[in-house]
Amino acid sequence: MTSRFTELVVDCRDPERLAAFWCAVLDFKVIDRSEGKVEIASWVPTADEVRARQMPPTLLFIQVPEGKTVKNRLHLDVSPIDASTEDEVTRLLGLGATTTDVGQGPDRSWVVMADPEGNEFDVMRTLAARRG
């Protein structure tokens, strides 16, 4: 018997705002929303796909009254697929992310950022094919 990773839940103050941010970062779509909850995924599954559990994990943003107070114990890594790492960092800053220091030190190949509610994530090296 095994388990399957079905969703990553993020506590937040404003699920709509955070879901919109992550949809823009990852090119995800909202697949479900209810009072205080917004779920996003890489595609909108059919009812049959949901019943058969034939879909990748989703991100679920749930409203909580308190704000973030300590460094994340779990974080996402994202890799740009059609731009340089530097260009992606610039794009994410424009979406409302910030760069942050969690003690990573200098000379790292990744950039530590935080989403609009302060949840840390890393921008890794680009997956874009190098030209030239």
Side-chain angles (χ1 to χ4, degrees), residues 42-114:
S42 56
W43 88 89
V44 179
T46 66
D48 287 339
E49 288 170 330
V50 171
R51 278 192 291 277
R53 300 276 188 217
Q54 295 176 335
M55 54 187 286
T58 62
L59 290 174
L60 177 61
F61 301 94
I62 297 180
Q63 187 174 30
V64 297
E66 69 277 354
K68 181 180 174 294
T69 58
V70 297
K71 180 183 175 293
N72 295 10
R73 295 288 305 264
L74 175 74
H75 68 265
L76 299 178
D77 287 348
V78 299
S79 298
I81 58 172
D82 56 6
S84 70
T85 301
E86 296 78 19
D87 288 344
E88 183 66 354
V89 167
T90 299
R91 183 180 82 89
L92 299 177
L93 289 169
L95 292 173
T98 56
T99 56
T100 190
D101 184 349
V102 294
Q104 67 270 22
D107 302 323
R108 298 291 181 227
S109 62
W110 65 89
V111 178
V112 181
M113 301 191 80

Side-chain angles (χ1 to χ4, degrees), residues 110-130:
W110 65 89
V111 178
V112 181
M113 301 191 80
D115 70 18
E117 290 205 12
N119 300 299
E120 297 93 3
F121 65 98
D122 295 336
V123 180
M124 308 304 285
R125 72 178 179 273
T126 184
L127 300 176
R130 303 240 183 240

